[in-house]
Amino acid sequence: MGLFDQILGAVANPNQQGSLGQLGSIINTVNQLSDRTGTDPSTIQSVLSIVGSQVRSALQQKQATDGNEAAQSLVNQYAGTSPNPQAVDSLFPAGIQQQVAQIAAQRTGLDPGMVQQLLPLAVPLVLNFLQSGANAQNPQAGGNPVLNSFLDADGDGDVDIADALQMANRYIR
């Protein structure tokens, strides 16, 4: 089952945190970011996809060294729709932040400095998507299917935040 299917499952499950309001908030933030930067939403979605790939690597490393609860804790602590430089710092050392900005700039044509400025909002948005699968009563409880799908425990590589954003946008409309 793909990432978006997991997100929809979380939206439909009252025991998980996902909601249409949460998806709408993420999409609205992407659109506002697009307006503010003067770029089209698909470019912002591409940036989120690239950042999401790096977030996945960082969370996989966190999961491997400290366990599922540590990865879920990072998601819960930093998920949101507001800029949070601490979210970026908690996942990426400074050198990695610059690499992420360079990769995103090369693939999207945006200025690396602009991408660097987008990171404090992009990382919490990606984490917000992942938080949708957390248990509504006890967010720290294990078994977040959205996070598990994102971390792709089965190794099939079928994970993409941009696709999930596009599907969420279509689903809400």
Side-chain angles (χ1 to χ4, degrees):
M1 186 182 292
L3 180 62
F4 187 68
D5 293 330
Q6 291 291 345
I7 292 168
L8 280 184
V11 167
N13 186 339
N15 296 319
Q16 292 177 307
Q17 290 187 13
S19 70
L20 289 178
Q22 178 188 22
L23 291 180
S25 179
I26 292 168
I27 290 166
N28 286 339
T29 302
V30 169
N31 290 335
Q32 289 171 3
L33 197 52
S34 172
D35 291 344
R36 236 186 339 211
T37 60
T39 58
D40 60 296
S42 65
T43 301
I44 298 299
Q45 290 173 6
S46 294
V47 169
L48 289 174
S49 180
I50 294 160
V51 170
S53 175
Q54 300 300 318
V55 166
R56 180 177 65 195
S57 295
L59 287 174
Q60 285 171 328
Q61 187 173 13
K62 186 69 166 172
Q63 182 185 42
T65 57
D66 300 330
N68 287 341
E69 296 78 22
Q72 182 66 54
S73 179
L74 272 174
V75 169
N76 291 341
Q77 184 173 0
Y78 296 114
T81 55
S82 299
N84 187 342
Q86 289 178 322
V88 180
D89 294 340
S90 72
L91 288 170
F92 307 125
I96 299 295
Q97 291 176 29
Q98 291 174 329
Q99 285 179 343
V100 171
Q102 286 291 337
I103 291 167
Q106 289 170 353
R107 293 187 188 163
T108 63
L110 293 175
D111 178 72
M114 178 188 281
V115 176
Q116 187 85 32
Q117 291 176 359
L118 294 175
L119 288 178
L121 185 53
V123 170
L125 281 176
V126 169
L127 297 176
N128 198 347
F129 251 118
L130 302 178
Q131 190 180 35
S132 66
N135 184 296
Q137 281 72 42
N138 182 6
Q140 277 307 114
N144 176 339
V146 175
L147 179 59
N148 293 341
S149 179
F150 183 72
L151 296 178
D152 199 26
D154 65 0
D156 72 357
D158 183 28
V159 177
D160 193 300
I161 289 291
D163 291 343
L165 267 170
Q166 289 171 350
M167 288 185 225
N169 201 10
R170 280 186 242 142
Y171 181 80
I172 286 181
R173 288 182 182 168

